[in-house]
Amino acid sequence: MATDVRMPDEGYLSFWRERHICTLTTQRPDGSPHVAPVGATYDPQAGLARVITSKGSRKVANIAAAVAKDPQGARVALCQLEGRRWATLEGRAFIRTEPELIADAEARYAERYTRTPRVNPDRVLIEIRLTRAMGNA
């Protein structure tokens, strides 16, 4: 079921506010998929999803390699599910290192997951500019 990325219905948005672990799928340089568990937040007003992670992670390396080839961003999919409910956000990912953007993403993470992320001096932000939303939430 397609959903408007910027104007999701209340059920879809509510599902993204609940505490769920997500999966982020990126492409390795050889084209094979890499799927990693992540905490993520969805901001429909900005048309963004955000994932905080360490700069040395495979997902960051995959995104950086893709962006080096295509400055429009790395194609990614962010998913979550619970029982029969599921939601997927697709878009173009970029690595952001600006402290204010990371701090904002940490605050959003803390709100959704009801815990402050651990201190990590190597933290970066995966910012996903959303192009598609779908699901059954």
Side-chain angles (χ1 to χ4, degrees), residues 104-117:
D104 177 62
E106 289 170 334
R108 291 170 186 275
Y109 177 98
E111 181 179 343
R112 180 174 189 199
Y113 293 98
T114 63
R115 69 176 193 82
T116 302

Side-chain angles (χ1 to χ4, degrees), residues 28-86:
R28 295 182 183 99
D30 69 3
S32 63
H34 175 262
V35 182
V38 296
T41 61
Y42 172 35
D43 180 355
Q45 289 85 6
L48 298 174
R50 296 174 180 89
V51 174
I52 53 175
T53 190
S54 291
K55 67 181 176 185
S57 70
R58 168 52 41 201
K59 54 192 164 289
V60 168
N62 291 343
I63 292 167
V67 171
K69 290 181 182 177
D70 183 353
Q72 291 186 36
R75 291 177 178 268
V76 301
L78 183 65
C79 304
Q80 68 178 23
L81 67 101
E82 178 186 54
R84 297 180 63 88
R85 296 187 309 156
W86 63 275

